[in-house]
Amino acid sequence: MSIRLEQKDAALIIHNQEARRGAIQPELYDAIKTAIQRAKDPAIRTVILTGGPFFCAGGDLTQLKERASLPEDERRARIEQLHDVIRAMHACPVPLIAAIEGGAAGAGLSFALACDLIVAAENATFTAAYVKVGLTPDGGLTSALSRLLPRQLAMEACLFGTPISAETLNGLGVITRLCPKGQTLPEAETLARQISEGPRQAQSQICALMRNAGDLPQHAQMDREVESMARAVASPEAAEGMAAFFEKRPPVFRS
């Protein structure tokens, strides 16, 4: 199968091995939504999104060309299908990790940037390729790029479709781990194991806080922090974490 789910320890891995450089197919939308739904199970601590030699080349141009003949409301509906998946990723109850070989382009870049952590091969490239075929970005890409990159670099990427190297993004702090070619999935699995040893509920709340922090005024974000911290401090996870601190031992968090 070109797209499959695999559970490995506490990680749920989405393998997008579509032959055409990981081009997006409806099955990928379904796999991501299924994985996020399954992540509600306490036994799942992370979701990893990975591909073949090329992580994801974005939308299938043959399908996009056919879409041009559809009425506008249907064209909008197809775009909303992508946006629904991105929204689901932003609401995932566990950390999302992208393991990127080769590169990510178009909506594939949207998928990568919707993840909480990114592990990338040293030779990977990241491209907002839409303009090269007369299109404009979707999948929340302009929002993500404007938050993560200097405005001029983000504008260059979108206006010219100029590839950005993994090294450049690593220097900007966008990449979590930079790896030799072929090592991104093992490194992502290492991060997943580290996450699985931590406090699940606290990690989930951290993801929820961090994913939306840039979209809210500071006072509104601080209100969210009050609510989250007030719940966390009385939780069993906090009790274990503080007990371990005072007893000078590693904490043992239970899902």
Side-chain angles (χ1 to χ4, degrees):
M1 295 177 63
S2 61
I3 299 171
R4 62 184 177 90
L5 293 178
E6 174 193 13
Q7 184 172 344
K8 190 170 184 180
D9 299 322
L12 192 58
I13 306 172
I14 306 167
H15 296 271
N16 174 29
Q17 296 178 322
E18 163 63 36
R20 290 166 293 180
R21 289 163 54 93
I24 293 173
Q25 302 297 319
E27 292 79 9
L28 180 59
Y29 293 168
D30 294 339
I32 293 173
K33 287 185 173 181
T34 297
I36 291 170
Q37 184 66 28
R38 285 180 57 182
K40 295 177 182 179
D41 183 338
I44 303 299
R45 301 300 305 276
T46 53
V47 173
I48 299 173
L49 178 59
T50 191
F54 196 91
F55 174 75
C56 182
D60 186 319
L61 286 182
T62 300
Q63 295 178 12
L64 290 173
K65 183 178 179 180
E66 293 171 354
R67 191 180 302 175
S69 62
L70 297 174
E72 184 173 348
D73 60 340
E74 292 188 36
R75 299 199 302 271
R76 287 177 176 270
R78 300 293 179 89
I79 299 167
E80 286 295 347
Q81 289 176 345
L82 167 63
H83 286 191
D84 285 345
V85 176
I86 299 295
R87 293 183 187 106
M89 294 174 73
H90 290 166
C92 184
V94 299
L96 287 161
I97 305 174
I100 299 175
E101 297 285 344
L109 181 54
S110 296
F111 283 138
L113 298 182
C115 291
D116 303 299
L117 303 170
I118 299 175
V119 179
E122 294 167 339
N123 67 334
T125 57
F126 299 81
T127 313
Y130 297 86
V131 73
K132 292 186 175 182
V133 289
L135 299 174
T136 59
D138 56 8
L141 187 58
T142 55
S143 176
L145 290 176
S146 66
R147 289 197 310 270
L148 294 169
L149 304 183
R151 179 175 178 271
Q152 287 72 20
L153 180 57
M155 189 67 78
E156 179 183 5
C158 291
L159 280 177
F160 302 109
T162 305
I164 304 173
S165 69
E167 182 180 4
T168 296
L169 291 184
N170 187 56
L172 292 168
V174 178
I175 304 298
T176 310
R177 296 284 189 276
L178 200 60
C179 303
K181 179 181 177 181
Q183 295 302 307
T184 61
L185 184 54
E187 183 62 26
E189 291 173 352
T190 296
L191 290 176
R193 283 192 294 272
Q194 293 173 357
I195 289 169
S196 71
E197 296 171 356
R200 188 181 198 275
Q201 293 304 316
Q203 291 168 342
S204 180
Q205 285 300 305
I206 288 167
C207 287
L209 286 168
M210 292 295 293
R211 288 167 184 160
N212 297 315
D215 300 324
L216 295 173
Q218 185 180 30
H219 65 85
Q221 182 66 10
M222 291 174 71
D223 288 344
R224 297 178 70 230
E225 291 179 350
V226 168
E227 294 176 9
S228 182
M229 182 60 163
R231 290 193 300 270
V233 74
S235 70
E237 291 179 346
E240 166 60 16
M242 288 186 275
F245 175 82
F246 289 117
E247 294 167 13
K248 296 181 171 54
R249 61 171 174 82
V252 179
F253 296 109
R254 304 186 187 281
S255 298

